């Protein structure tokens, strides 16, 4: 259960970029288009599930070389990703112009956005290999979480406007930094216990 909660929190943290983009998509709709919203959720959720798997495959190849420093790598990657999200959230935003209301979905643009917002998940997937996470559960939880958060983002953007975009990104960054810190401290704590024992 603890692993599920951790994966869910990681999924929420990783999904904040997709949430922010989904808010922008919702801003451009006079009324929520359910079909477009479903496609947005599937793109973001699908790539957010695929990227950690790719990272896990890459990480598994190098696992035996870096087992002794894996917790530092996890902390560094999650801290960097989370820190980047926090900085993006607090820097003054350039006004995103909505050029056209109710425009048809541009699938090429959506593909690029889905890849761009899931690059962080690739790095997290590398840490999954080092930390022996159950990869099927990890990608499922992260993908499903991102799907629902992205769908929610379209509705939030449509209803509230861009007011919550930066707060969501800031919260996602904080979650990832704290998870990285928890991984580091739990490994350092267990290694000290091992020395004492």
């Amino acid at each position: 259960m603890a692993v599920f909660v951790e994966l869910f929190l990681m999924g929420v943290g990783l999904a904040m970029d997709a949430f922010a983009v989904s808010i922008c998509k919702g801003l451009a709709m006079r009324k929520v288009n359910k079909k477009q919203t479903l496609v947005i959720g599937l793109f973001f959720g699908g790539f957010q599930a695929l990227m950690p798997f790719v990272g896990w495959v890459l990480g598994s190849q190098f696992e035996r070389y870096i087992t002794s420093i894996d917790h530092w790598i996890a902390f560094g990657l999650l801290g960097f990703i989370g820190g980047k999200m926090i900085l993006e959230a607090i820097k003054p935003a350039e006004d995103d112009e909505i050029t056209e209301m109710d425009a048809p979905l541009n699938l090429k643009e959506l593909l690029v956005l889905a890849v761009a917002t899931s690059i962080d998940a690739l790095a997290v997937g590398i840490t999954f290999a080092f930390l022996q996470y159950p990869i099927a559960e990890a990608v499922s939880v992260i993908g499903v979480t991102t799907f629902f958060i992205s769908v929610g983002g379209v509705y939030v953007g449509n209803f509230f406007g861009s007011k919550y975009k930066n707060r969501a990104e800031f919260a996602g960054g904080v979650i990832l930094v704290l998870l990285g810190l928890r991984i580091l401290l739990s490994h350092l704590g267990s290694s000290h216990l091992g020395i004492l024992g």
Side-chain angles (χ1 to χ4, degrees), residues 81-157:
I81 294 162
K84 183 172 69 90
M85 287 172 71
I86 291 167
L87 286 174
E88 284 171 8
I90 58 176
K91 76 176 181 190
E94 298 160 20
D95 289 334
D96 291 329
E97 287 179 40
I98 298 162
T99 51
E100 191 181 348
M101 292 297 280
D102 296 325
L105 271 185
N106 179 339
L107 293 182
K108 281 184 189 167
E109 179 201 45
L110 199 57
L111 178 68
V112 170
L113 288 170
V115 171
T117 56
S118 62
I119 291 294
D120 296 347
L122 177 78
V124 170
I126 293 171
T127 69
F128 287 162
F130 305 148
L131 302 174
Q132 305 291 313
Y133 273 88
I135 191 61
E137 287 91 327
V139 297
S140 301
V141 170
I142 289 171
V144 170
T145 302
T146 303
F147 171 81
F148 284 109
I149 286 176
S150 300
V151 167
V154 174
Y155 280 90
V156 168

Side-chain angles (χ1 to χ4, degrees), residues 8 29 36 49 71 95 111 114 128 154 156 166 172 185 189-191:
F8 174 72
M29 295 179 190
Q36 286 189 4
H71 47 283
D95 289 334
L111 178 68
F128 287 162
V154 174
V156 168
N166 284 357
L185 292 175
S190 64
S191 66

Side-chain angles (χ1 to χ4, degrees), residues 58-76:
L58 292 172
S60 298
Q61 303 304 310
F62 303 106
E63 181 188 355
R64 63 182 177 276
Y65 302 114
I66 39 185
T67 306
S68 60
I69 57 165
D70 57 5
H71 47 283
W72 285 104
I73 293 170
F75 171 69

